Amino acid sequence: MGTLELNSEADPAATTARTAIMNPTEAGQAITESPHVIPNASVVEKAWAPSNGGKIKTDLAIVLENIAAPFKKPNILDVKLGARLWDDNAPPAKCAKLDKVAEESTSKPLGFRIAGMRTWQGAAGDGSNGISKDGYKLYDKNYGRSLAAETVREGFEDYFMLERGAVAKGPLRKVIRRFLEDLMGLEDALEHEESRMYSASLLFVYEGDRDALKDALVTEQEELINGANGTEGYEKYVEEDDDDNEQDTPAVQGLKLIDFAHAEWTPGQGRDENLLHGLRNTVKVLEGLLESP
């Protein structure tokens, strides 16, 4: 894989091309002298080419957020959404392959499946019994595909480390309630948008260290109480652009909608029921963890 190098000075040829687009009159001399520019032709800055392991010189960069960074021991769950997992441009062979995956998992009946997860077990393992040396138990895609609509609750019980049929209590109950609030907020937003997202995922993260989780909940409560009033304290806590606050406040849980490789706006086509079907069923499963089955 190549590396990304940001230029402090733009490539002269690219600068000429951009100048020609922005102001053809001023760029006239440059166009005449440049052997790479064809008069009366559309100007493309640079065609894409494989880096072959070399550096990519560019003025642009994509900044990615590591949602797991604020947690001491993050427990992570990836839930793939949709009964249909391919977009309109997918070749027939890929469509057939993904349809088979959906048919043989919970994707088709429920509109979602567990794609993978890891949970912190509290002590370093020896690499056996699915527990890594850093103390995490790993669940791969085959684990999620082994679950049926009738047993998918077990997957979420494993994620929240609950006994079979147990009702979540204490801090974990608060975590699940927060996830439900996030999910229902996301559902409301998507119901008012006309878009299509195929093979998008819900990424769940919560603090897997029980002591750290309790401390994070206590810290949050103290910050709310110590504000001038409840509203001010809450606004201080949820201010997303306050970088210092994000670093100082221990994280409890987080939820993100990810994987937009096959996403687009579709005006006039209505909301994305393929995605929403899986989202709503995920809500139902989490609600079930708050009450006896």
Side-chain angles (χ1 to χ4, degrees):
M1 181 180 291
T3 58
L4 185 70
E5 180 179 275
L6 297 180
N7 290 345
S8 58
E9 296 182 5
D11 178 25
T15 301
T16 298
R18 284 195 291 269
T19 304
I21 295 172
M22 298 298 294
N23 195 329
T25 302
E26 294 180 7
Q29 184 65 28
I31 293 175
T32 302
E33 295 175 356
S34 174
H36 303 292
V37 180
I38 301 174
N40 301 322
S42 299
V43 179
V44 178
E45 292 190 17
K46 279 188 176 181
W48 177 86
S51 68
N52 294 320
K55 291 183 177 180
I56 302 173
K57 294 183 177 181
T58 179
D59 296 322
L60 303 176
I62 298 175
V63 179
L64 301 178
E65 176 189 8
N66 181 4
I67 187 177
F71 299 87
K72 182 177 179 181
K73 297 294 181 182
N75 284 354
I76 301 174
L77 167 66
D78 184 324
V79 174
K80 185 71 66 179
L81 293 175
R84 171 181 163 177
L85 301 168
W86 44 269
D87 64 20
D88 294 336
N89 298 318
K94 183 175 182 179
C95 296
K97 178 181 178 181
L98 293 177
D99 282 345
K100 186 173 186 294
V101 171
E103 189 78 37
E104 296 175 350
S105 66
T106 58
S107 289
K108 185 168 184 179
L110 298 180
F112 77 84
R113 75 169 185 274
I114 292 177
M117 63 183 181
R118 71 173 197 168
T119 58
W120 192 63
Q121 301 298 303
D126 58 3
S128 62
N129 299 320
I131 301 176
S132 62
K133 293 182 178 180
D134 60 356
Y136 280 95
K137 186 170 185 179
L138 308 178
Y139 301 80
D140 63 12
K141 64 181 181 182
N142 293 321
Y143 168 82
R145 294 182 184 183
S146 70
L147 299 170
E150 298 77 19
T151 59
V152 72
R153 174 188 167 115
E154 296 178 4
F156 288 87
E157 289 173 342
D158 287 340
Y159 177 56
F160 291 107
M161 302 177 69
L162 298 171
E163 297 293 334
R164 291 288 179 259
V167 176
K169 298 178 180 179
L172 277 181
R173 190 175 185 86
K174 294 179 180 179
V175 168
I176 294 173
R177 286 189 179 279
R178 289 190 179 200
F179 278 130
L180 283 169
E181 290 174 2
D182 290 342
L183 287 168
M184 288 185 279
L186 180 59
E187 179 185 355
D188 181 68
L190 291 172
E191 284 181 341
H192 293 85
E193 297 292 347
E194 294 184 302
S195 63
R196 294 294 180 270
M197 300 181 196
Y198 298 106
S199 285
S201 289
L202 293 169
L203 184 65
F204 295 78
V205 186
Y206 76 93
E207 180 56 68
D209 184 300
R210 296 302 174 94
D211 292 333
L213 177 60
K214 292 177 182 178
D215 291 343
L217 290 167
V218 170
T219 299
E220 279 187 5
Q221 188 62 29
E222 289 176 348
E223 289 194 358
L224 294 176
I225 295 173
N226 292 335
N229 54 57
T231 303
E232 181 179 330
Y234 178 74
E235 289 175 348
K236 177 180 181 298
Y237 166 66
V238 300
E239 178 55 60
E240 295 181 355
D241 294 329
D242 188 342
D243 292 337
D244 292 336
N245 185 57
E246 286 184 349
Q247 295 172 2
D248 294 341
T249 304
V252 174
Q253 54 80 233
L255 175 74
K256 298 289 184 181
L257 180 63
I258 63 171
D259 295 345
F260 304 118
H262 306 286
E264 62 179 334
W265 299 111
T266 54
Q269 296 186 31
R271 59 197 182 191
D272 190 348
E273 288 296 341
N274 181 59
L275 192 80
L276 285 166
H277 176 58
L279 185 57
R280 291 167 185 145
N281 278 326
T282 303
V283 168
K284 290 180 181 178
V285 175
L286 291 189
E287 286 177 336
L289 297 180
L290 301 179
E291 56 189 35
S292 300

